[in-house]
Amino acid sequence: MSAPQTAAFIALGANLGDPLTTLRWAVTELRTLGTVKALSRLYRTAPVGGPAGQPEYLNAATCLHTPLSAPDLLAGLHDIEARAGRTRAERWEARTLDLDLILYGQLISGAPDLLLPHPRAWDRAFVLAPLSDLHPHLTHPATGETVSAALARTDRRGVEAHIDDWYNDWH
């Protein structure tokens, strides 16, 4: 009998080095943490916050079914980021890879090292647009707001669909 699986939604982003190659590699690595059930389109997005002069990001989202607990999944995401050369010197700095755990089932957590759902996801078009590709009717566990409703109220300037099938043609 297989271990119970939880649907986790993960936002992917990169704006240093070769972001497309890094994001493709990251999806392959995510498969070590569970089963990738769906991938969004790839979006080209303007940087939000952080130091001025950053290059544009490439952003996507995935639905991963995983047997891992939320803390273990988050540790796995941080390990993948570190192996991609991610550093954490300054908040919202440019990065080789960013993997944000947006939702883990319906879990709500206020633990400082495990805030779920992701505290800013429902306010950021660069997260919501890719999530909408996967599941527009996905609801925020605390507020009940859907991804599509949140996307409709956010400023989508600087978020542009870039590549539809960015992973399947690679491997």
Side-chain angles (χ1 to χ4, degrees), residues 64-89:
L64 181 78
H65 285 198
T66 183
L68 299 175
S69 67
D72 288 346
L73 177 57
L74 186 60
L77 298 177
H78 288 168
D79 177 64
I80 293 169
E81 288 177 338
R83 288 186 287 122
R86 167 82 188 264
T87 61
R88 295 176 185 271

Side-chain angles (χ1 to χ4, degrees), residues 10-16 18-24 26-27 30 38-49 54-63 81 86 92-102 118 120-121 124-134 151 155-167:
I10 300 163
L12 300 86
N15 73 337
L16 292 178
D18 182 349
L20 179 57
T21 298
T22 301
L23 292 176
R24 287 172 167 165
V27 171
L30 286 171
L39 278 171
S40 72
R41 292 180 283 181
L42 192 66
Y43 289 80
R44 183 177 304 279
T45 65
V48 174
Q54 291 188 50
E56 290 183 318
Y57 277 82
L58 292 181
N59 289 100
T62 187
C63 176
E81 288 177 338
R86 167 82 188 264
W92 297 324
E93 67 186 342
R95 58 203 69 171
T96 55
L97 181 62
D98 188 26
L99 299 174
D100 284 336
L101 182 55
I102 304 301
H118 189 285
R120 292 170 298 282
R124 294 181 164 173
F126 66 87
V127 173
L128 293 167
L131 280 179
S132 183
D133 288 349
L134 301 178
L151 183 59
D155 181 356
R156 289 183 261 180
R157 286 178 295 182
V159 177
E160 171 188 324
H162 183 56
I163 303 173
D164 288 345
D165 192 15
W166 59 275
Y167 183 77

Side-chain angles (χ1 to χ4, degrees), residues 121-125 128 145-155:
W122 255 247
D123 296 318
R124 294 181 164 173
L128 293 167
E145 184 178 34
T146 65
V147 167
S148 61
L151 183 59
R153 69 170 169 72
T154 60
D155 181 356

